[in-house]
Each structure stands twice: as C-alpha cells, then as structure tokens.
Amino acid sequence: VDEFELIRRFFSTGYPQRTDVMLGVGDDGAISRLGRDEELVSCSDTLVAGTHFPPELPADAIAHRALATNLSDLAAMGASPRWFLLALALPRIEPEWLEQFSAGLARLAARYQVALIGGDTVRGPLSMTITALGSVPPGTAVRRSGAVDGDLIYVTGTCGDAARAWQAMAGGATLAADDPCYRRFAYPEPRVQEGLALRDLASAMIDISDGLHVDLERLLTASGVGGAARAEDVPLSAALVDQVGLAAARELALTGGDDYELCFSVAESRTTDLARLSADWSCPPVCIGRVVSEPGLSWELDGLGLANPSSAFQHF
Amino acid sequence: VDEFELIRRFFSTGYPQRTDVMLGVGDDGAISRLGRDEELVSCSDTLVAGTHFPPELPADAIAHRALATNLSDLAAMGASPRWFLLALALPRIEPEWLEQFSAGLARLAARYQVALIGGDTVRGPLSMTITALGSVPPGTAVRRSGAVDGDLIYVTGTCGDAARAWQAMAGGATLAADDPCYRRFAYPEPRVQEGLALRDLASAMIDISDGLHVDLERLLTASGVGGAARAEDVPLSAALVDQVGLAAARELALTGGDDYELCFSVAESRTTDLARLSADWSCPPVCIGRVVSEPGLSWELDGLGLANPSSAFQHF
C-alpha cells in the first residue's frame, strides 16, 4: 500500500463534500473559498498515542477524538467549522485499523459538514495532527480576553467524566464500552452548535481540554481579571459520582482534562438571553461563579475557601 | 516549563507580524482575514525524526525543513504564503534545542513574511506538522491536472543533491556543514517567488518531494496524459557529480526525494515568456521533456530507453 492508495481507500470517499472546496485531497494544497465577508479561524491539535490516549483505544474513537478536539477549539471561538487537514503518522499499515479510523473520522465530519481537504501520511510512532479551519463574520469571533468584572461564569455539560476514564485506563482498567465516563473520553462531543449560539452572547470563551481550573484561569488571565467560583456548582454526572464518590468527582471536575465542554463569561444583564438560548441544549450551561477585578481564580466549597487545584493534565 | 511558557519563549516573538492576522498564537484558534477576492490554499506536511531527517540534524535545520516543505507545496500551487500553524511533539524540553529550532523557523518565516498564528506543543517522539495557509486570486491556483499533449516539461534548479546527503547520513557519514549536498538537505530553499511567477504560465505544477520520476508521474497521471523525458537533460550540480560520479548522480536525480524543486509543464507557445520571466532566477528552469497523449512516463538517455526508475523515497 503506497501513500496514494492509502489516501484513496481511506481518506477520499465517505467524507462530506462542500461547494466551497475548489480542490480537495490529492494536490500539493487544497483550494477553498471564503465568502466575501468572513474571517478565517484556524487551529491545530496533536494527539500522541500514550500521551493523549491509550494506543489500544478503538481506532474510530482515536479519529473521533482527534477531530473533536479541533472542532471544540473552533466552537470556543464561535466559528463555523468548514474544512480540515489530517496529518497521520502510523508505525505500519493495518487496513482494518485504517478502515475503522476513517469510519470514525467520516462520521464526526458528517455531523458537522466539515470537509477533509488535505494532509499527509507518514511512517512514525502513532500520532496525528488535525488542522481545522472555520469562519466567522468579521470581528465576531469570541476570544479568551473579553471577560469583564461582574460577568457571570458558566460551564456547559458535566466535568470530570473523561478524566475519570483516562485515569482508570492509565491504571490498567478495562472499561465497558457503554460506561458513560468511557464514552465521554472516547467520543467527546464538541459543542459546535452551542459555541455558534454563544457567539453574540459570551464575552469570553475557552474549551476545557486541560481542566476547568486551568482553562478558566487562562481565560481570566487573558482578560486581565480574576474569578470567584463555587466548586459545589460545578456540574457532575451521576455516573462520575457513582464511580468515585462526591469528593473525588469534584476534584476530577476541577483538574481533569479532556472534557471539551465550553467555559464562558456573560454579562449579568444578558442572563435571560442565555436562559432562552440554551433552553433546549443537551449540555445546559450552569453558572459556577463570577468575574472579579482582582487577578487570580479562587474556589470555595460550601462557603469555605479551597486550596487552588493544580491540573494533572499538563501537556508537559 | 509549561506549554504557555514554552510558547511565550520560543514561538511568540521574532516571527513576522502581518496586518491580516486579527488574532495569533494563544487563543483556541487564530483569526485571519482573507481579502475579498481570494481563495485559500492550505497544506500540511509532517516530518518525523528518523523517517524524514536524522534526529541529530541541527534544530534550526529541522525547523527550516519543516516550514520549507510546506512553503514548497504552496509554491507548487502558485500561492502567496501568508500564515502557518506548528504542531510540535517533543520527548523533553531542551531550551537550547528549542532556541535553535525557533531561530531557524523564524528566519525562514521572515524571508517569506509568513506569520506563525497557532499550533500545539505536546510530549511525544520528536516530530512536527506544519500547516501552511496561502492565497490566490480565484481560479488561478496551479493544479497538477492541467498538463496537455505537447506541453514542454521543466524542472527548476538541480536534482538529487538532498538525496545524496540523506543517503550518506543514513549510512553513518558525517557531512561537513558547508557540503553543498548537505546544505540542500538541511536548508532547502522553497521556490516561492518562482511558483508565484509561474502562476499564469505553468499548465500544471508539482514540487519534488519524493523524487523527480515519481512526482512528475503524479502530475502526468493527474492530467490524464503521459510524458517522454530525457535523463541527460535533468540538471545535476557539480558537487553531486563530483561526490558520486555521473551515473549515480543521474539515478539520484531521478529517484531521490527532498529536492523541493518545482516541476511544471508549459505550452510550447509560451516558452519565450518563460525564458524572459526566469532570466534572473538562481534556479533556472531546464526543459527535460515533453507531454505526450499516451499515459505513462518514459525516460531515455542519449537516445536509448531507460528502465523506469523506482523511488527510494516512498512515505511507506
């Protein structure tokens, strides 16, 4: 199997086609059209076997995660996902693995109509970098830096589930395929529609890839403000609490990565808009605190201050 | 050193700034503006230590190569390079290595005024994926598929030099830092200006990353035509002939990868335009053959047919 055969078999059919793609996979570059009044939003995320997922994770889950982490970044900017490039390093060609990988990739791509327009395939330790490209009307992308004193802080969905699964797997456990925490880790759902809906409402937004505390702190630092948050309000799934107990669930929710929920700030005057907007979301936003002028992020639990959690999910 | 410190120290200053970048490194995504009448050209290339370069190659050369391969892809489309994202996997943080890596990256980026707008840094076996983004006026990108019967086939610069160096290093040799073949391998010059100049002239174009024979064959196949080429006309550097002799130099020139020269087809009626256009190029284009209607690429040497060369530089 040479590279061209590999691309033809696994990365050419089954992916969404878009009319704004002039030329896709197969040339030196892809050609795509941006509408007259749009800005390009681009991001790259790399997943390395062993660092970001166990190598024995099903190939469709690996592909799903690789694309989902990038779509989540676009979501956190309030961007419409349009195209992506896949750079895939494989130790060897295993057609069955690739079949499953491309099925997982195509499935998630179809859900958000994002077209695979190029990339690279090379021999190397299993890892992949996806670059996702999206668009926004000029000036409307949601940055990390727009939070102001008095804004309320929200997070979508539940936190800590994916970290629980990764921790268990890293410890040698095999999780059932229908374990809710495992599913959050293996098939995270990027909050694409929610990110788009929040574009005109959130003053700042970030996706939770390294942990709620660390990522919220990044948002606040980028905005030049601080935050006061309540640990008891951070949403936890019943499955997580059931598996590890309330105290450990809270710690995982604050420090665990890989959730790909959105954390954002909203002016208090717009909370009614937010309630109306999010009424039918499957991952309803929950208010967990407030932006304050003094730098730093402090947590309390039932009225008592908490020592600052440190993330177990640093890249290095 | 955490990821943010790493980005701040090595990937935030010293790179070209562009006014079409609304938001660069540091948020979930970058925001950039495309002019009203442009199409986006995007490509991703991955380099893996051991597969694409010896791990002991100087870090500035590794960075240079990683960006050059991508700028070369944009050049082969006739696109103006504008932005790039870097996804870097490192086994460990070595500030000196990173210093050198970022210096090499910034130097080449400055030469072509291409802005580093985002990416990712992760722990893993040494490898990197760069995604380069460029632009063309709508409909003007040069594809592989436009060659027609009767067109003349050209290649820029000289071929085989980089492959000679890679082969020698793979065999355990240490090459002098000023060895011309080593320099072609370590610091390849993407033919950006030449690719742009050829945009309105070349009927089809590709960059030579896997070998002249293989890459020209791809261009011809994509165009639905064939080619008749003359091995004696393929330009060879004096250094290459001196190091390996004429016969081996020819073989390396046809089969060796990593040259990053441009191979393209031009209508015979426009050869005068090409001569005028390329009069002052440092890598003058040389005519090596002609497009024919019958599929397949055949080579002859001094009037005698050559068995088809097979590339030693497949990705897999």
Side-chain angles (χ1 to χ4, degrees):
Chain A
V1 185
D2 74 2
E3 184 185 20
F4 284 72
E5 173 65 9
L6 190 157
I7 292 167
R8 198 193 59 71
R9 274 186 65 186
F10 302 107
F11 302 112
S12 57
T13 57
Y15 296 88
Q17 305 293 311
R18 292 182 60 101
T19 56
D20 53 10
V21 176
M22 310 293 107
L23 179 68
V25 176
D27 211 305
D28 295 293
I31 310 168
S32 45
R33 185 166 288 163
L34 269 191
R36 290 190 154 251
D37 296 301
E38 290 172 298
E39 282 172 351
L40 177 71
V41 180
S42 47
C43 57
S44 275
D45 256 323
T46 301
L47 300 188
V48 178
T51 304
H52 301 98
F53 60 89
E56 63 277 12
L57 195 70
D60 67 323
I62 296 173
H64 180 109
R65 278 179 57 77
L67 182 54
T69 59
N70 279 283
L71 295 180
S72 177
D73 280 327
L74 291 184
M77 307 290 293
S80 303
R82 291 171 70 165
W83 316 295
F84 72 105
L85 298 95
L86 166 70
L88 178 62
L90 295 171
R92 72 201 76 82
I93 302 285
E94 289 171 13
E96 264 180 57
W97 190 94
L98 274 161
E99 206 92 59
Q100 215 192 345
F101 183 89
S102 90
L105 195 63
R107 198 157 49 228
L108 184 58
R111 199 173 306 160
Y112 297 107
Q113 287 300 299
V114 53
L116 174 59
I117 59 170
D120 198 9
T121 54
V122 301
R123 187 181 290 277
L126 180 61
S127 74
M128 65 226 66
T129 298
I130 283 181
T131 301
L133 305 171
S135 58
V136 289
T140 68
V142 186
R143 305 172 180 217
R144 293 182 183 174
S145 55
V148 295
D149 187 13
D151 284 355
L152 297 177
I153 300 168
Y154 288 83
V155 64
T156 60
T158 61
C159 296
D161 302 318
R164 152 66 185 160
W166 189 203
Q167 216 171 57
M169 285 185 286
T174 303
L175 301 178
D178 63 351
D179 179 300
C181 292
Y182 171 75
R183 294 206 64 83
R184 286 294 307 275
F185 177 82
Y187 303 96
E189 194 61 53
R191 304 306 187 187
V192 173
Q193 306 303 341
E194 293 79 7
L196 278 171
L198 288 166
R199 188 159 69 199
D200 301 320
L201 195 59
S203 55
M205 183 151 56
I206 194 169
D207 74 321
I208 305 175
S209 51
D210 292 337
L212 175 57
H213 172 73
V214 164
D215 287 318
L216 173 53
E217 202 173 42
R218 283 172 187 155
L219 180 153
L220 296 167
T221 302
S223 298
V225 294
R230 299 173 304 272
E232 68 268 26
D233 290 345
V234 174
L236 305 172
S237 75
L240 179 63
V241 175
D242 179 52
Q243 288 185 21
V244 302
L246 185 60
R250 282 211 174 111
E251 189 174 341
L252 282 167
L254 264 55
T255 63
D258 294 323
D259 285 324
Y260 303 107
E261 295 294 351
L262 296 175
C263 179
F264 57 96
S265 56
V266 171
E268 191 163 9
S269 63
R270 304 209 55 191
T271 51
T272 317
D273 296 335
L274 177 62
R276 197 174 41 233
L277 190 74
S278 62
D280 63 348
W281 290 6
S282 62
C283 57
V286 170
C287 181
I288 59 166
R290 185 182 285 275
V291 175
V292 299
S293 59
E294 192 169 330
L297 169 58
S298 63
W299 288 93
E300 60 174 47
L301 179 61
D302 302 326
L304 295 172
L306 272 186
N308 256 5
S310 65
S311 176
F313 292 81
Q314 288 286 346
H315 291 242
F316 283 106
Chain B
V1 184
D2 74 1
E3 184 185 20
F4 283 73
E5 173 64 10
L6 190 157
I7 292 168
R8 198 194 58 72
R9 274 185 63 187
F10 303 107
F11 302 112
S12 57
T13 57
Y15 296 88
Q17 305 292 313
R18 291 182 60 101
T19 56
D20 53 10
V21 176
M22 310 293 108
L23 180 67
V25 176
D27 210 303
D28 295 293
I31 311 169
S32 45
R33 185 166 287 162
L34 268 192
R36 290 191 154 249
D37 296 300
E38 290 172 298
E39 282 171 352
L40 177 71
V41 180
S42 47
C43 56
S44 274
D45 256 322
T46 301
L47 300 188
V48 178
T51 304
H52 300 98
F53 60 89
E56 64 277 11
L57 195 69
D60 67 324
I62 296 173
H64 180 110
R65 278 179 59 74
L67 182 54
T69 60
N70 280 283
L71 295 180
S72 177
D73 280 328
L74 291 184
M77 306 291 292
S80 302
R82 292 172 68 166
W83 316 295
F84 72 105
L85 298 95
L86 166 71
L88 179 62
L90 294 171
R92 74 200 75 83
I93 302 285
E94 290 170 14
E96 265 180 57
W97 190 95
L98 274 161
E99 206 92 59
Q100 216 193 344
F101 183 89
S102 89
L105 196 63
R107 198 157 48 226
L108 184 59
R111 200 172 308 159
Y112 297 107
Q113 287 300 299
V114 53
L116 175 58
I117 58 170
D120 198 8
T121 54
V122 300
R123 188 181 289 277
L126 179 61
S127 74
M128 66 225 64
T129 299
I130 283 181
T131 301
L133 305 170
S135 60
V136 289
T140 68
V142 186
R143 304 173 179 214
R144 295 182 182 174
S145 56
V148 296
D149 187 13
D151 284 355
L152 296 178
I153 299 167
Y154 288 83
V155 65
T156 60
T158 60
C159 297
D161 302 318
R164 152 67 186 160
W166 189 203
Q167 216 170 56
M169 285 184 287
T174 304
L175 301 178
D178 63 351
D179 179 302
C181 292
Y182 171 77
R183 294 206 65 83
R184 286 295 306 275
F185 177 83
Y187 304 96
E189 194 59 55
R191 304 306 187 188
V192 173
Q193 305 304 341
E194 294 79 8
L196 279 171
L198 288 165
R199 188 159 71 199
D200 300 319
L201 196 58
S203 54
M205 185 150 56
I206 192 168
D207 74 320
I208 305 175
S209 51
D210 291 338
L212 176 58
H213 172 74
V214 164
D215 286 319
L216 174 54
E217 202 173 40
R218 284 172 185 155
L219 181 153
L220 297 167
T221 302
S223 298
V225 293
R230 297 173 304 272
E232 69 268 26
D233 291 344
V234 174
L236 305 172
S237 75
L240 179 63
V241 175
D242 178 52
Q243 288 186 20
V244 302
L246 185 60
R250 283 213 172 110
E251 188 173 341
L252 282 167
L254 265 55
T255 63
D258 295 321
D259 285 324
Y260 302 107
E261 295 293 352
L262 296 175
C263 179
F264 57 96
S265 56
V266 172
E268 191 164 8
S269 63
R270 304 209 54 190
T271 51
T272 316
D273 296 336
L274 177 62
R276 197 173 43 232
L277 190 74
S278 62
D280 63 347
W281 290 6
S282 62
C283 57
V286 170
C287 180
I288 59 165
R290 185 182 285 275
V291 175
V292 299
S293 58
E294 191 169 330
L297 169 58
S298 65
W299 289 92
E300 61 174 48
L301 180 62
D302 302 327
L304 295 173
L306 274 185
N308 255 5
S310 65
S311 175
F313 292 81
Q314 288 286 345
H315 291 242
F316 283 105

